[in-house]
Amino acid sequence: MEIRQLRYLVTIVEAGGFTRAAEREHVAQPGVSAQIRQLERELGQELLDRSGRGVRLTDAGAAVLPHARAALRAIDDLRDAAEEMAGLVRGHVRLGMLTSCGVPDVPVLLERFHRIYPGIDITLEEASSHALVDKVTDGTLDLALIALTHKDPEGLELKVIADEAIMAVVAYGEPLSKQATVGLGALEQHTLISMPVGSGMRTVFDEVCTAAGVRPRIGLEATNPHMLADLAGRGLGVAIVPESTAREHADTVHTLKIVRPELRGRLALAWRTDGQRSTAARALIEMAGGAPR
């Protein structure tokens, strides 16, 4: 069994097929196929189902994949430890963040990290909170900036970096623009503009509405909170946005505090509780104010 065989298996799954995996690994596709067949002979099990149009994991493959990822992480940790002992700072850190998050500290953090550790490669990926939690949990990402709901994800350490109210905004001149607050139940009477299902803020909003027996009418969705405020400013409905976004658009929209109950949104850095973290990942977590190295 060779390290490259495990790496090819993980890449095939992440890339969605042999051809894309070969492109990522910069090798010929027959070479990737041959190494996977050799790995399957070594284990005595078929790991990939090639019978359909795509490539899928078999039950054996699904059982092997987490161990393959863990083995590759262990190899990375071994190299990092050797380089650290030699006084070198190299490696690779994989960071995830919410799509259209708009948190200004992330570029600043990465700029500072790159300036101090120029030899460390940084991979940045955008996705929904649910997808990011899954990728941190299975080791695809080292850490991620996620939105927290009422139930914190299990198996992850968290550092909350933002905690703010979730507000409603409407165009000036709309009936609600004469109010300072709006009850959650009263929002049933209005067309709402919201982040899509699966986003952290939308999950918080949906959970609170369900608990209160409120059935909101979502008319428009967008992944960028600034787009939500812009749509509301054009009289297309009531947008549900973070308080910081509402302040930035105060010249075009009126802000209402949502009451009975109030809503809050939290952003946090998340990384795995268990498992060895690479030197690069530990350095980035420390710089972000997380766990010590």
Side-chain angles (χ1 to χ4, degrees), residues 273-293:
T273 301
D274 57 354
Q276 179 68 27
R277 288 181 289 274
S278 70
T279 304
R282 294 199 304 273
L284 182 56
I285 291 170
E286 180 186 18
M287 187 172 291
R293 295 173 66 186

Side-chain angles (χ1 to χ4, degrees), residues 9 13 46-48 56-67 69:
L9 174 64
V13 173
E46 285 193 357
L47 304 178
L48 298 170
R56 296 183 305 160
L57 285 168
T58 63
D59 290 343
V64 166
L65 183 64
H67 298 286
R69 283 181 166 143

